[in-house]
Amino acid sequence: MKKQIIHVVIGGGAAGIFAAIRCKTLNPLAQVILLEKTNQLLAKVRISGGGRCNVTHACFDPVKLTQNYPRGSKELIGPFHHFQPKDTVSWFEERGVPLKTESDGRMFPTTDLSETVIHCLLQAASLAGVEIRKQQRVESIEKKEDRFLIQLENQQISADSVLLATGSSSWGHSIAKQLGHAIAEPVPSLFTFNIPTSPLLDLSGISVPKVIVTLKDVGFKQEGPLLLTHWGFSGPAILKLSAWAARKLYDLDYKATLLINWIASPNQEILYQSLLQRKQENPLQAIPPILPNNLLVRLCTSLHIDPTTPLAKLPNKALAQLAAKLYSDAYAIEGKTTYKQEFVTAGGVDLKSIDFRTMESKITPGFFFAGEILNIDGITGGFNFQNAWTTGWLAGTTMAKR
Ligand SMILES: Cc1cc2nc3c(=O)[nH]c(=O)nc-3n(C[C@H](O)[C@H](O)[C@H](O)COP(=O)(O)OP(=O)(O)OC[C@H]3O[C@@H](n4cnc5c(N)ncnc54)[C@H](O)[C@@H]3O)c2cc1C
């Protein structure tokens, strides 16, 4: 009698569950066992997107999509040609979960409930015949000839192939290391900036639709909406900046100078000239409402400018100072605050040791990786789940063919 093939997936998060479903669906004769150390599957899916689960992002061009990954963009080009957001949308829709797109491109289930996504994934796993074992903490993995011995508390499983999808857990990193993979040091990504000395803290809640934020002397720049908070600054522009500069800011102990170009002007001189032109054309009018009023008043007051003064009465020197402030306003970052809606770890298994056509390790054949355990992370907006779906799908596909 032919021996049954056993594939083991470790980790019951988005990547592990998606891979297990794909593997068992493609190869129903194989035994697919998913081991999860806790009592809860898909815990991060449940809390993600404020309980709504931002499943993916409406960006359907694989190359453009990769531009949203500070780490992993080059490696994901190939995988996204196999499984991208369009495929994610179809996958969920075929299983009765249509997704909708919000104005910023984020995609959510139409129910606005992460529970819908969880129910769909667990039902698909059950229908496919994935054997899910909860409260099964894997303690060690040993490679013996062409098999893997997986040690649980009271049991050992001998597997033909293993997928490690344990997210940002240090245990997963140490297992990968034992098997010969380098680990990029994990550091947080997607956080907001603490600016305790900011004179704008009491303006918390005001948002500006488009600013350019730059880390002075460090070389990172991002554009987008900015939110004033009671501890500093947040909003898409800041979160993107935190992701791209995650490692640098970690090295700087989260101390740096943030420059805000409040109206995303391409050039300080152009901004100054436009204020002068306005003064010439409308001498009796005050400074135009280029920013939310309370914020504009505060910025003007800091320069001893009364924003209600007719432009004709403001000396050109004052307008030059205002242009300088609007173009490059400096704030001292003195720490970070985790963004509760979505945070992620930058760092993990070194990408050079993975074959991105298959998600198989180049160092340990038969051993696979998917999801956040890899040194891949996206900016906020559904890109991190897309990485989990894509790499999980590819790993599951290859395991099934073994
Ligand atoms: C609050 C929050 C909100 C988020 N919101 C979004 C969002 O809206 N959109 C988005 O794209 N991304 C979001 N993210 C990021 C996204 O959740 C992760 O990138 C994604 O869940 C990673 O999936 P994963 O399967 O790789 O890892 P995980 O989801 O972390 O799953 C790993 C699993 O492995 C298990 N495990 C660990 N060690 C062992 C062991 N020894 N034995 C057995 N099992 C083990 C863990 O218990 C866990 O269940 C959010 C993250 C957070 C924290």
Side-chain angles (χ1 to χ4, degrees), residues 231-344:
W231 65 91
F233 297 114
S234 179
I238 297 294
L239 292 166
K240 278 195 276 179
L241 191 62
S242 81
W244 287 97
R247 203 161 282 288
K248 188 72 196 172
L249 283 168
Y250 174 81
D251 291 342
L252 294 169
D253 197 22
Y254 305 101
K255 290 189 177 51
T257 301
L258 175 72
L259 301 177
I260 304 179
N261 177 343
W262 285 105
I263 52 172
S265 171
N267 181 305
Q268 184 176 326
E269 183 57 25
I270 292 175
L271 181 55
Y272 174 52
Q273 291 301 333
S274 72
L275 287 171
L276 285 182
Q277 193 181 346
R278 190 127 189 152
K279 179 176 168 177
Q280 241 172 15
E281 290 169 2
N282 306 287
L284 299 180
Q285 281 184 8
I287 294 166
I290 41 183
L291 285 173
N293 189 49
N294 286 354
L295 176 60
L296 185 62
V297 169
R298 186 66 59 86
L299 297 180
C300 289
T301 315
S302 72
L303 300 169
H304 309 290
I305 296 172
D306 175 356
T308 59
T309 311
L311 285 166
K313 289 196 176 162
L314 286 177
N316 288 358
K317 193 174 158 210
L319 292 180
Q321 283 172 340
L322 180 61
K325 184 150 189 88
L326 290 173
Y327 183 72
S328 182
D329 198 13
Y331 295 86
I333 303 171
E334 287 182 34
K336 64 167 176 43
T337 295
T338 304
Y339 178 59
K340 300 284 185 308
Q341 292 275 313
E342 178 177 349
F343 52 89
V344 75

Side-chain angles (χ1 to χ4, degrees), residues 61-63 65-66 69 73 75-85 87 383 386-387 390 394:
D61 174 333
V63 176
L65 185 62
T66 60
Y69 292 84
S73 62
E75 291 79 4
L76 282 173
I77 294 179
F80 283 154
H81 277 94
H82 292 289
F83 197 92
Q84 57 128 310
D87 303 299
F383 302 103
Q386 188 56 50
N387 169 46
T390 297
L394 263 185

Side-chain angles (χ1 to χ4, degrees), residues 1-8 23-24 27-33 128-131 133 146-147 157-161 399-400 402:
M1 208 175 75
K2 221 174 155 193
K3 208 168 144 281
Q4 191 179 32
I5 299 284
I6 301 177
H7 300 297
V8 171
C23 181
K24 182 70 181 168
N27 189 352
L29 294 180
Q31 188 180 8
V32 178
I33 304 171
V130 175
E131 208 177 304
R133 301 189 193 167
D146 59 349
R147 296 194 73 75
I157 302 173
S158 169
D160 293 87
S161 76
M399 287 167 88
R402 280 178 72 86

Side-chain angles (χ1 to χ4, degrees), residues 55-75:
V55 178
T56 185
H57 200 94
C59 177
F60 305 119
D61 174 333
V63 176
K64 271 198 192 137
L65 185 62
T66 60
Q67 290 163 8
N68 298 288
Y69 292 84
R71 283 144 293 267
S73 62
K74 186 167 61 88
E75 291 79 4

Side-chain angles (χ1 to χ4, degrees), residues 335-374:
K336 64 167 176 43
T337 295
T338 304
Y339 178 59
K340 300 284 185 308
Q341 292 275 313
E342 178 177 349
F343 52 89
V344 75
T345 303
V349 176
D350 180 29
L351 306 185
K352 286 198 285 293
S353 57
I354 313 288
D355 181 342
F356 274 83
R357 290 169 303 181
T358 59
M359 298 318 294
E360 188 169 10
S361 160
K362 291 178 190 165
I363 295 166
T364 314
F367 204 79
F368 294 78
F369 295 96
E372 205 176 318
I373 188 171
L374 296 160

